[in-house]
Amino acid sequence: MTKIASKQNRKTIWTSIIFSIIFFGAMGTFMIYIFLKKWSSNEVETKTYLMPIFGLFVYFIAFNFIKNYVKRSPKIVVDNEKIIINKRTYYWTDIQNIKLTGKKGFGFFNYQMEVATLNFNNKKTEFIFDDMYSNSWEIKSFIQQIVIDKKLTFEINTQKINPREIEKENFYEFKGNPIFSFRGLMMWGLIGFFVYLLIFTEGKISKFDQMKFLIPICIFWFLLNAYSMNYFEVSKNFFIVKNHYFFWKKIIYRITDIEEIVYETQQNQSNILRVITKDFKRGMYPAGTLKDSKWIEMKEELEKRKVKVRNECI
């Protein structure tokens, strides 16, 4: 009997917890500190009493974030007969409905995260949040094969794509302009402004010292924006992810290996394309240069190839 145990995505969980403690904790502490300072100096006004209230509210948000990350990442064990989530045991014979992809709100701000939903006959519902586990794809693939497809054994796809396979393919390209798109103008505009300051302005600071300050900022700004400038190619048999500036980047998917493609956005960032393969591995690719018309055009092209596209943002 095959048994798989979940592996917590410690990097994601601890990064989020530490961020919550530092950011929200510092904000709440600052508000309370301002109130105490005004109180001690007898400078309290009516609106000043709102400071500790807001401070405690921010503490509550931090606590809620931490609570959700702990609560939403319980230990999970699956085998051919059952799934154990913490100390709760459910048998596959009692399963009513399974949905292995989709979004659910997470945390105080209802941030939408990819999730698997399991409904049981006792009206209990359990959620498996992808980002909470480094092997969530393995758990979901096991459920797909053993529970849904009724296979006797669980197999992991280890087949790799030979780049030569794509040489005779005819590709449709879906890309934007890396310079004159909003993302491109934002990137090169700031870099150009810093270059102008460096070349055409004089000041008390030497050119060399200015370069030591401005060059690292320009490099960071370039990398930050270039990361979001992916584009895509579609052929009869393959889907490829490339990048306008990282020219060596080429991620190849077989069309038949794709379970679903999701158009989504996160925290007001560039639109993102998420690829979910049939074994539920996932890749996320921001594409800040693509116009809405290109996204829709690509969706239509993918659907012609029987690829399911979930549009959440266009």
Side-chain angles (χ1 to χ4, degrees):
M1 180 183 292
T2 305
K3 181 182 288 186
I4 298 174
S6 62
K7 300 174 184 175
Q8 281 190 333
N9 192 340
R10 297 183 183 276
K11 182 179 178 181
T12 296
I13 293 172
W14 280 106
T15 298
S16 300
I17 289 175
I18 291 170
F19 171 80
S20 298
I21 292 172
I22 293 175
F23 180 76
F24 292 112
M27 187 184 299
T29 301
F30 177 73
M31 291 178 179
I32 293 173
Y33 167 76
I34 293 297
F35 169 76
L36 293 175
K37 186 176 180 181
K38 288 182 176 291
W39 178 274
S40 62
S41 59
N42 293 319
E43 298 176 0
V44 178
E45 303 174 19
T46 302
K47 62 181 181 181
T48 309
Y49 288 101
L50 294 175
M51 299 295 285
I53 296 174
F54 282 126
L56 292 173
F57 179 67
V58 172
Y59 281 150
F60 170 76
I61 293 175
F63 172 77
N64 187 271
F65 262 85
I66 296 169
K67 176 185 173 183
N68 271 282
Y69 273 97
V70 173
K71 182 180 179 181
R72 298 298 190 180
S73 58
K75 183 178 180 180
I76 299 173
V77 178
V78 294
D79 62 31
N80 295 56
E81 297 179 351
K82 61 188 178 297
I83 178 171
I84 302 172
I85 303 175
N86 266 351
K87 297 180 181 180
R88 303 184 298 276
T89 301
Y90 304 94
Y91 289 90
W92 296 126
T93 52
D94 295 325
I95 198 77
Q96 187 179 60
N97 185 55
I98 299 174
K99 188 178 179 183
L100 295 176
T101 61
K103 289 286 198 304
K104 178 175 172 55
F106 182 92
F108 184 81
F109 296 107
N110 203 38
Y111 173 65
Q112 297 295 304
M113 294 178 67
E114 198 70 18
V115 68
T117 305
L118 308 179
N119 301 112
F120 295 91
N121 289 331
N122 59 3
K123 297 184 180 180
K124 291 284 187 179
T125 300
E126 296 285 353
F127 301 100
I128 302 174
F129 285 86
D130 286 19
D131 291 343
M132 298 297 103
Y133 305 98
S134 59
N135 69 331
S136 59
W137 67 270
E138 190 177 14
I139 295 170
K140 293 167 80 169
S141 186
F142 179 90
I143 294 172
Q144 176 69 50
Q145 292 184 40
I146 301 301
V147 183
I148 298 176
D149 297 338
K150 307 294 183 183
K151 292 184 178 180
L152 298 177
T153 58
F154 173 58
E155 299 177 351
I156 294 177
N157 181 15
T158 58
Q159 185 179 8
K160 295 184 178 180
I161 299 174
N162 186 335
R164 291 185 178 180
E165 293 183 55
I166 69 172
E167 290 179 356
K168 295 182 180 180
E169 295 282 319
N170 294 316
F171 285 93
Y172 295 92
E173 200 172 61
F174 301 93
K175 64 193 299 187
N177 192 307
I179 298 175
F180 296 108
S181 62
F182 175 77
R183 174 73 59 173
L185 290 171
M186 187 170 65
M187 180 177 78
W188 289 114
L190 184 63
I191 292 174
F193 175 70
F194 283 156
V195 171
Y196 172 82
L197 291 179
L198 188 62
I199 296 175
F200 296 106
T201 61
E202 296 292 338
K204 296 180 180 179
I205 303 175
S206 68
K207 293 293 184 183
F208 180 71
D209 287 337
Q210 290 181 46
M211 289 175 63
K212 286 195 297 183
F213 174 73
L214 293 177
I215 289 177
I217 293 177
C218 289
I219 292 174
F220 172 77
W221 186 244
F222 171 81
L223 294 175
L224 179 67
N225 285 279
Y227 167 76
S228 297
M229 293 190 182
N230 294 298
Y231 66 95
F232 312 101
E233 295 180 349
V234 181
S235 73
K236 179 181 179 181
N237 299 300
F238 294 95
F239 180 79
I240 297 180
V241 181
K242 294 182 177 180
N243 188 282
H244 286 286
Y245 291 103
F246 305 149
F247 58 87
W248 58 88
K249 180 176 181 178
K250 182 185 287 188
I251 301 171
I252 307 171
Y253 293 94
R254 243 185 220 97
I255 291 289
T256 53
D257 290 339
I258 297 175
E259 173 71 18
E260 187 175 10
I261 283 179
V262 186
Y263 293 176
E264 61 184 73
T265 186
Q266 296 183 356
Q267 299 175 342
N268 298 319
Q269 298 178 16
S270 302
N271 290 335
I272 296 170
L273 183 143
R274 181 193 294 261
V275 178
I276 303 174
T277 60
K278 290 192 182 298
D279 57 5
F280 298 97
K281 292 178 182 176
R282 60 192 187 276
M284 296 178 64
Y285 309 105
T289 66
L290 264 67
K291 295 180 179 179
D292 286 356
S293 58
K294 281 291 182 183
W295 285 100
I296 297 300
E297 187 181 341
M298 180 168 60
K299 178 178 183 292
E300 293 171 353
E301 200 64 41
L302 287 165
E303 288 175 339
K304 287 179 184 178
R305 290 157 176 74
K306 308 301 181 184
V307 176
K308 181 182 177 183
V309 180
R310 190 187 344 146
N311 183 1
E312 298 179 347
C313 63
I314 306 298

